Amino acid sequence: MEVITSKDNRKIKDLSKLLNKKYRDIENKFLVEGFHLVEEASKSNKLLEIIKTEDCECAIDAPTTLVTYDVLKKLTNTMTPQKIIGVVSKLDEKEIGNKVLIVDELQDPGNLGTIIRSSVAFNFDTIILSENTVDLYNDKVIRSSEGMLFKINIIKKTTQEAIDYLKNKKYKIYGTKVDGGSNIKNIIFPNKLAFIIGNEGNGVRKEILDQCDEYLYIPMNSDCESLNAAIATSIILYEIGDK
Amino acid sequence: MEVITSKDNRKIKDLSKLLNKKYRDIENKFLVEGFHLVEEASKSNKLLEIIKTEDCECAIDAPTTLVTYDVLKKLTNTMTPQKIIGVVSKLDEKEIGNKVLIVDELQDPGNLGTIIRSSVAFNFDTIILSENTVDLYNDKVIRSSEGMLFKINIIKKTTQEAIDYLKNKKYKIYGTKVDGGSNIKNIIFPNKLAFIIGNEGNGVRKEILDQCDEYLYIPMNSDCESLNAAIATSIILYEIGDK
């Protein structure tokens, strides 16, 4: 099979545009890097094709293009990339399940990826991302999700639309509040619920938080003002998911 | 007061060496950036001096050097630094308390900082860092700890020394193990205990793990192979700290 050796190759140039959100949205595709993520994409029937180096011994059944390592580097932002890149169809949005996480304006891609991973671990079935949340298909989100984005239903919707829909369907909606909230350890959670998390610095916007049905907090030492956003969210998912 | 405008200024050049672990170890000092961290250092009586821009209105009582923003940038790795840097004495090691976290060969600075923050939140009083763990005074560790490194006793020791000491003092030592471990929710923890966490990729080294008195795991969906290291650790600290 021919090996692409030029970084100016048309196909590579076109694919490299997928590092950019604008083109991902136009093409409805995204890139994943490394055998583990390519394999998860393949299992989910979302893998369109792979780009790999000649010496990559990954056995994945998909249309394949061989490239030099230098050319492959055009398709990733990592410094020392793995030797295989997958071109993947964006995920389908399915019906909203019973355990819903609403993510309102979260900014850090590592936090979002980690939260997706924890959501799968603790049996949440749906994540709703608000319009101003970091892009799901950002490479850092995908990497830190460890492929878990393929194992959960992720939906884009404004937070207000999500709240209106869920209230109409009798979901109980939870937010966090230290003053006036309940200790999470003492709450008995219903079967159908949503939990809203907000921006790392500012939390959930007031007009959204005011619409929650109930508020909770994680008990902690007063020396510590707050937890990291992904940590706090994961502890809450852990407590809810188990009950 | 005179304002330093040259990046080649001797004092600035000397202080910039503190971005390097080798010099931090020689000088027994480190740098922190931003008002919040400088303030925490000051409250802990560890702040030696501050370097700030003329327009920085931070009221901190310490010997002060004024610099231009360009000069200040020499003292940090962040792209758009805050306008104040603190020069801080390394922290004192105190006696080991009752709730001990042993960190064995953790590599990611963000993870270590986040774990320090969670340790304070959940009432651990001592963290022991093994020789191959990322440096406590790395700027990313400090930033992600959100200043919590000033509020907990942090000790450097080999993991084997720590285990020998703690076993001798009748601490119960916990590690994680999915097969053959107990569900963390069902464990009644003693007053004096240590929990060992390991490297992000490989976990705790076998020869260390084998010396634990008891093993635990976090119950989770089998679709998810593992949690992020800082998340798993924080959930365990949360469960232990409360009991």
Side-chain angles (χ1 to χ4, degrees), chain A residues 105-165:
Chain A
E105 306 198 341
L106 196 79
Q107 291 311 304
D108 182 86
N111 280 344
L112 180 58
T114 305
I115 287 168
I116 291 170
R117 192 172 169 190
S118 295
S119 298
V120 174
F122 300 127
N123 303 303
F124 271 62
D125 48 44
T126 308
I127 298 176
I128 297 174
L129 303 179
S130 76
E131 62 273 40
N132 291 325
T133 288
V134 55
D135 185 37
L136 171 61
Y137 301 106
N138 172 302
D139 57 327
K140 283 188 197 161
V141 173
I142 294 169
R143 261 201 313 283
S144 53
S145 84
E146 290 276 341
M148 290 303 113
L149 82 164
F150 293 109
K151 303 209 169 170
I152 188 164
N153 179 25
I154 303 177
I155 291 171
K156 285 183 196 175
K157 226 185 215 334
T158 71
T159 302
Q160 191 56 57
E161 277 171 352
I163 289 175
D164 293 344
Y165 175 90

Side-chain angles (χ1 to χ4, degrees), chain B residues 94-160:
Chain B
K94 301 186 195 109
E95 210 177 318
I96 293 179
N98 284 337
K99 295 261 187 296
V100 182
L101 177 67
I102 302 174
V103 179
D104 184 61
E105 305 196 341
L106 196 80
Q107 292 311 303
D108 182 83
N111 280 344
L112 180 57
T114 304
I115 287 169
I116 291 170
R117 191 172 168 191
S118 295
S119 298
V120 173
F122 300 127
N123 302 303
F124 271 62
D125 47 44
T126 308
I127 298 176
I128 297 175
L129 302 179
S130 77
E131 62 273 41
N132 292 325
T133 288
V134 55
D135 185 38
L136 171 62
Y137 301 106
N138 172 302
D139 57 326
K140 282 188 197 161
V141 173
I142 294 169
R143 261 201 312 283
S144 53
S145 85
E146 290 275 341
M148 290 303 113
L149 81 164
F150 294 110
K151 303 211 167 168
I152 189 164
N153 180 24
I154 304 178
I155 291 172
K156 286 183 195 176
K157 227 184 209 341
T158 71
T159 302
Q160 190 56 56

Side-chain angles (χ1 to χ4, degrees), chain B:
Chain B
M1 197 190 287
E2 199 194 345
V3 179
I4 296 176
T5 56
S6 165
K7 292 179 193 175
D8 294 326
N9 177 280
R10 187 52 182 260
K11 181 185 181 80
I12 299 303
K13 278 188 129 170
D14 283 349
L15 286 176
S16 72
K17 289 182 180 165
L18 295 176
L19 292 172
N20 195 311
K21 178 178 188 307
K22 183 176 146 195
Y23 288 96
R24 290 193 293 264
D25 288 348
I26 292 169
E27 300 281 331
N28 217 31
K29 292 185 232 176
F30 64 105
L31 301 175
V32 302
E33 180 189 327
F35 180 71
H36 174 64
L37 285 169
V38 171
E39 195 184 26
E40 292 292 344
S42 173
K43 281 186 199 163
S44 305
N45 295 316
K46 289 291 173 195
L47 184 63
L48 299 169
E49 57 176 312
I50 56 179
I51 317 296
K52 63 176 198 172
T53 60
E54 250 184 314
D55 63 335
C56 171
E57 293 174 3
C58 320
I60 299 263
D61 184 23
T64 299
T65 302
L66 294 180
V67 298
T68 62
Y69 193 57
D70 266 0
V71 170
L72 183 132
K73 282 185 175 172
K74 294 290 285 181
L75 302 180
T76 165
N77 293 318
T78 53
M79 300 288 277
T80 49
Q82 296 186 60
K83 293 174 178 170
I84 182 168
I85 303 272
V87 183
V88 185
S89 279
K90 279 198 183 180
L91 304 175
D92 307 317
E93 300 194 352
K94 301 186 195 109
E95 210 177 318
I96 293 179
N98 284 337
K99 295 261 187 296
V100 182
L101 177 67
I102 302 174
V103 179
D104 184 61
E105 305 196 341
L106 196 80
Q107 292 311 303
D108 182 83
N111 280 344
L112 180 57
T114 304
I115 287 169
I116 291 170
R117 191 172 168 191
S118 295
S119 298
V120 173
F122 300 127
N123 302 303
F124 271 62
D125 47 44
T126 308
I127 298 176
I128 297 175
L129 302 179
S130 77
E131 62 273 41
N132 292 325
T133 288
V134 55
D135 185 38
L136 171 62
Y137 301 106
N138 172 302
D139 57 326
K140 282 188 197 161
V141 173
I142 294 169
R143 261 201 312 283
S144 53
S145 85
E146 290 275 341
M148 290 303 113
L149 81 164
F150 294 110
K151 303 211 167 168
I152 189 164
N153 180 24
I154 304 178
I155 291 172
K156 286 183 195 176
K157 227 184 209 341
T158 71
T159 302
Q160 190 56 56
E161 277 171 352
I163 289 176
D164 293 345
Y165 174 90
L166 294 166
K167 284 206 178 245
N168 191 261
K169 298 272 186 182
K170 311 289 182 211
Y171 284 69
K172 194 158 185 177
I173 301 178
Y174 292 84
T176 53
K177 203 181 255 185
V178 175
D179 295 323
S182 306
N183 181 336
I184 188 168
K185 302 216 177 218
N186 301 330
I187 299 176
I188 295 166
F189 291 99
N191 189 39
K192 278 167 63 172
L193 65 84
F195 172 66
I196 308 185
I197 58 161
N199 177 271
E200 286 88 350
N202 309 318
V204 176
R205 291 171 286 158
K206 186 177 181 307
E207 65 270 28
I208 296 295
L209 196 64
D210 285 348
Q211 297 178 67
C212 290
D213 299 305
E214 198 170 328
Y215 301 95
L216 55 84
Y217 70 87
I218 299 170
M220 64 177 110
N221 188 309
S222 60
D223 276 353
C224 185
E225 274 173 42
S226 66
L227 294 165
N228 164 283
I231 300 283
T233 304
S234 297
I235 289 175
I236 291 165
L237 299 174
Y238 164 78
E239 282 283 9
I240 294 176
D242 183 58
K243 284 171 180 171

Side-chain angles (χ1 to χ4, degrees), chain A residues 8-39:
Chain A
D8 294 327
N9 177 280
R10 186 52 184 260
K11 181 185 181 79
I12 299 302
K13 279 189 125 169
D14 282 349
L15 287 176
S16 72
K17 290 182 181 166
L18 295 176
L19 292 173
N20 196 311
K21 178 178 188 304
K22 184 178 144 191
Y23 287 97
R24 291 192 294 265
D25 289 347
I26 292 170
E27 299 282 330
N28 216 29
K29 292 185 232 175
F30 64 105
L31 301 175
V32 301
E33 180 188 328
F35 179 72
H36 174 65
L37 286 169
V38 171
E39 196 185 25

